[in-house]
Amino acid sequence: MRARSIAIFLIRRALALLVLLVLISFLVFGLLYLAPGNAVQVLLGTHPSSPAIVAAMTAKYHLNDSFIQQYLLWLQGASHLNLGVSIQTGQTVTSLISSRIGLTVFLGLYAFVIAVAAGVPGGVIAAMRSRTVADRAIVGVSLLGVSVPAFVSGVFLLYLLAIHAGWFPVYGPGSGFPDELWHLTLPALALAFGVMALIVKLTRAAMVTVLEQDYIAFARARGVAPARVIVRHGLRNALGPIVTAGGLILGVVLTGAVLVEQVFALPGIGSLLITAVSTKDVPVVQGFTLLAAALLIGANFLIDLCYLFIDPQITAGRGLA
């Protein structure tokens, strides 16, 4: 019965997220119609036009069809990973994105791991030392991290640790896993700083509430080891809000890598997107927007899976609701 309820929950969540992705794709496709000027001129960009070229573009993109018909044709192609052709390069949008997405995803996941590895212990320590100097110091650093944009902290780290100290390379992605890891450490730290601050605040707030519960006092009275009380009874019960925010944080990190890539001259999705926006390469912008939405939706689905391990009864109950 429990396995069935969990399966129902996952199916319902998957269907709901699929519907959400379709709605987002509808809005993404509408970018072409929201763009100023004639649709053919937008698609041609800076290329010269002639009556023959205009007629060919109109036929190719079915511009004489209704908006819904055009959207359904585009959605059919997108479902097969056919997101159109770049106006500037003539390459398919899928090939352009796939050639750069690996670096962006690696940077985002690297930053996410750093943020979680530093943020969760920092929040736990702040909660255990509540209203002490250590707590105020950790909270103060968290407020600084939330207030400073990633590209600003990136410039600071670049000057301090790369140019002044010479510990890290100034730019470039590196070659090979160890070299790439070394090159991406500073960008990942810059990207993780603000996210780590948010994780610290969430972890501290959740742990402060949990540590005031009766079962924590009872476990301590029984002589349970302090580390076991904190990890097994405290942190495990405080994971709910942390994991809930984790999906959104992971999506923000992956999409926030765009600006950090510009600071460190990394050839990821960021430079591709900025070039596409500046040249009005609408198919590339549409493809990136749909990809970002898919990443956010996928991250939220992963969080739902994590809830199965944290609190299967609550998750299963939602699935049956």
Side-chain angles (χ1 to χ4, degrees), residues 46-90:
T46 58
H47 297 289
S49 63
S50 66
I53 293 176
V54 170
M57 294 292 289
T58 301
K60 179 179 179 180
Y61 290 97
H62 304 275
L63 297 180
N64 287 329
D65 294 342
S66 67
F67 173 78
I68 296 298
Q69 289 176 320
Q70 293 179 48
Y71 166 70
L72 291 177
L73 287 171
W74 179 80
L75 182 63
Q76 182 182 5
S79 64
H80 294 86
L81 300 180
N82 178 14
L83 298 172
V85 178
S86 168
I87 297 171
Q88 296 299 316
T89 66

Side-chain angles (χ1 to χ4, degrees), residues 30-302:
L31 286 173
L32 182 61
Y33 283 83
L34 293 176
N38 183 270
V40 174
Q41 292 300 323
V42 171
L43 290 170
L44 285 173
T46 58
H47 297 289
S49 63
S50 66
I53 293 176
V54 170
M57 294 292 289
T58 301
K60 179 179 179 180
Y61 290 97
H62 304 275
L63 297 180
N64 287 329
D65 294 342
S66 67
F67 173 78
I68 296 298
Q69 289 176 320
Q70 293 179 48
Y71 166 70
L72 291 177
L73 287 171
W74 179 80
L75 182 63
Q76 182 182 5
S79 64
H80 294 86
L81 300 180
N82 178 14
L83 298 172
V85 178
S86 168
I87 297 171
Q88 296 299 316
T89 66
Q91 296 176 265
T92 62
V93 175
T94 304
S95 64
L96 283 174
I97 292 178
S98 61
S99 65
R100 295 171 178 250
I101 193 173
L103 178 65
T104 301
V105 170
F106 181 50
L107 174 60
L109 292 177
Y110 190 9
F112 183 75
V113 170
I114 293 175
V116 172
V120 172
V124 171
I125 293 172
M128 293 173 59
R129 302 288 187 267
S130 181
R131 300 178 183 178
T132 64
V133 175
D135 180 27
R136 293 189 179 94
I138 293 174
V139 171
V141 173
S142 300
L143 290 175
L144 179 64
V146 172
S147 305
V148 177
F151 66 89
V152 174
S153 59
V155 172
F156 175 76
L157 291 173
L158 186 64
Y159 172 77
L160 184 65
L161 299 180
I163 297 176
H164 183 70
W167 294 348
F168 295 95
V170 176
Y171 64 91
S175 59
F177 181 77
D179 192 41
E180 188 173 354
L181 198 67
W182 184 44
H183 276 75
L184 294 182
T185 296
L186 275 188
L189 287 172
L191 190 57
F193 187 44
V195 176
M196 177 186 64
L198 180 58
I199 293 175
V200 167
K201 294 184 67 176
L202 290 171
T203 305
R204 181 190 180 278
M207 283 296 294
V208 166
T209 302
V210 169
L211 291 177
E212 294 175 350
Q213 301 301 312
D214 293 338
Y215 59 83
I216 296 294
F218 181 69
R220 287 171 171 167
R222 289 175 53 201
V224 178
R228 186 181 178 87
V229 172
I230 295 299
V231 175
R232 185 183 180 91
H233 300 284
L235 184 58
R236 183 177 180 181
N237 288 284
L239 281 177
I242 301 171
V243 173
T244 300
L248 179 61
I249 289 172
L250 178 58
V252 169
V253 166
L254 289 173
T255 54
V258 169
L259 294 177
V260 175
E261 288 174 358
Q262 291 299 109
V263 175
F264 292 90
L266 298 174
I269 293 292
S271 58
L272 176 65
L273 176 63
I274 291 175
T275 302
V277 170
S278 61
T279 58
K280 297 182 179 180
D281 199 339
V282 176
V284 175
V285 177
Q286 286 178 326
F288 174 84
T289 308
L290 189 62
L291 172 66
L295 288 175
L296 287 171
I297 290 173
N300 279 279
F301 187 70
L302 289 177

